[in-house]
Amino acid sequence: MKKHIFAFIGLLTLSTGFALGFTDSTASAKAVKVPSSLRGTWYHYDPSYDSYEKLTATTYHFKISGINGTSSYSGVKFPSYANGHADMYVSKTPKGYYRIGKYGTDDEGMWKRVNHKGHPAIKQPWHEIPDTGTYVDYWYKTKAIAKYPSVKYKVSKFNGYYYDKYTPAYLQADEGLQKLYTSASDANSKSGHYITVKSIYKKYYAKWDSESNDVIRIRVNGKTYYQKDNSGFQSFNSWKDGNRISSPYSPTSRSKIVMRHGDKYSKAKYWDKVEHYKTGVLILKSWKLTNSGWVKDR
């Protein structure tokens, strides 16, 4: 999940037809308005820094400030499209979302006015396609509400693989490097040609080779390899053991976290960011769950 670095920016193309604030490539300077549904003062709580971010949206200004700095966009002065630069542009996307940012850059910020758990809010999904269940920020009218949003993570549908299709698989942080063989027979005998993989951050894809053996097929960079089934690859990358969660990621990297199916992660009190070390894991950083969210413990 990328965290807020206040780059609420986007790529504007000639083909959308949704652009607001200009008429064509030779348009003269024209004021760009912030959509009325987004105007007001909004707050988002960041538990990793134990601090708030504040969004102030007026008719012609869109400003966000917080611990990492300030991002301010103004639509009062809007150069022609042919200029290739603007202080702010606003474009409409499907399902009520707006993109607000600077023309000429790659990233984008999407925003939608919603009612979240009975409270007026602005929804901000960190994904190019909204409403896909990926990491979402909610901004609220008061700090009190913003401080206690529910935290949800993606959970593996089940712990295993299919025979007829590939599903995401992850090298476990408590496992070392893995040998993947170029044929099922080599995997069975654990001999022959192979490659070695060790990244716990990469998404692989896996399925059973057949119902007659316990070999799994693993796709790496578009190529198929084979491995005798073991605990090295699983359909999740994070898991709960007792009251502690272990993951290659921090608790705020929500778009990258896939919890083990059946784990009641909401009951966890501690979070460890880990990597493989000898026969287990090395804890890089830790967090403790408090009323304000996950707070760095060490």
Side-chain angles (χ1 to χ4, degrees):
M1 155 209 110
K2 59 183 181 182
K3 257 326 268 180
H4 301 299
I5 54 175
F6 306 113
F8 300 93
I9 46 185
L11 180 64
L12 185 62
T13 65
L14 287 170
S15 61
T16 62
F18 291 111
L20 306 181
F22 60 85
T23 58
D24 56 36
S25 61
T26 60
S28 58
K30 186 179 292 186
V32 178
K33 292 184 178 181
V34 175
S36 59
S37 62
L38 305 182
R39 296 175 198 169
T41 302
W42 308 88
Y43 297 92
H44 169 70
Y45 179 71
D46 185 346
S48 61
Y49 292 100
D50 192 22
S51 65
Y52 292 93
E53 293 167 340
K54 181 180 178 181
L55 164 61
T56 304
T58 61
T59 304
Y60 296 105
H61 296 272
F62 197 84
K63 180 179 179 180
I64 299 176
S65 56
I67 192 171
N68 291 321
T70 298
S71 175
S72 182
Y73 298 109
S74 171
V76 175
K77 295 180 180 180
F78 193 90
S80 66
Y81 177 79
N83 188 310
H85 174 77
D87 287 336
M88 179 176 75
Y89 81 84
V90 179
S91 66
K92 186 75 176 292
T93 69
K95 300 181 181 179
Y97 283 88
Y98 292 92
R99 288 174 177 157
I100 295 179
K102 287 185 178 181
Y103 165 68
T105 48
D106 295 327
D107 292 337
E108 59 191 25
M110 292 191 296
W111 306 83
K112 180 182 181 181
R113 177 68 175 268
V114 296
N115 188 289
H116 188 242
K117 295 191 174 182
H119 302 288
I122 294 180
K123 182 180 183 180
Q124 185 193 17
W126 287 105
H127 195 279
E128 61 182 355
I129 303 174
D131 290 331
T132 56
T134 55
Y135 174 57
V136 174
D137 275 342
Y138 287 96
W139 297 66
Y140 301 88
K141 285 290 188 180
T142 67
K143 288 184 176 181
I145 298 173
K147 195 167 185 177
Y148 301 103
S150 60
V151 178
K152 293 184 178 181
Y153 299 103
K154 185 177 180 180
V155 178
S156 173
K157 292 182 178 180
F158 71 104
N159 301 322
Y161 309 111
Y162 292 100
Y163 288 101
D164 57 344
K165 66 178 180 179
Y166 284 95
T167 53
Y170 307 89
L171 176 56
Q172 299 299 283
D174 56 351
E175 296 283 345
L177 55 84
Q178 299 289 305
K179 291 181 179 180
L180 304 181
Y181 294 87
T182 55
S183 71
S185 60
D186 286 349
N188 265 314
S189 62
K190 295 186 178 180
S191 64
H193 297 291
Y194 64 86
I195 65 169
T196 302
V197 296
K198 61 180 181 179
S199 176
I200 60 176
Y201 304 104
K202 184 179 179 66
K203 181 190 289 187
Y204 306 91
Y205 292 87
K207 77 179 189 72
W208 288 107
D209 180 49
S210 72
E211 296 186 25
S212 61
N213 63 36
D214 57 354
V215 170
I216 56 173
R217 297 188 183 192
I218 300 176
R219 297 284 289 175
V220 182
N221 298 328
K223 295 183 178 180
T224 301
Y225 298 91
Y226 302 82
Q227 185 185 58
K228 194 81 169 179
D229 180 41
N230 61 34
S231 59
F233 290 91
Q234 299 290 343
S235 57
F236 53 88
N237 57 27
S238 307
W239 66 93
K240 177 176 173 288
D241 186 8
N243 63 359
R244 189 175 294 271
I245 290 174
S246 297
S247 174
Y249 302 100
S250 67
T252 54
S253 299
R254 298 177 202 171
S255 64
K256 300 176 182 178
I257 295 166
V258 182
M259 298 299 303
R260 179 170 57 189
H261 181 78
D263 281 354
K264 296 182 179 180
Y265 62 82
S266 61
K267 303 294 185 181
K269 296 181 180 179
Y270 300 94
W271 187 294
D272 294 329
K273 181 178 180 180
V274 298
E275 67 179 13
H276 179 258
Y277 181 73
K278 293 185 178 179
T279 59
V281 296
L282 175 66
I283 297 175
L284 304 177
K285 295 179 182 178
S286 294
W287 290 261
K288 182 179 180 180
L289 188 63
T290 68
N291 288 334
S292 59
W294 291 105
V295 177
K296 194 170 289 186
D297 196 29
R298 65 168 178 167

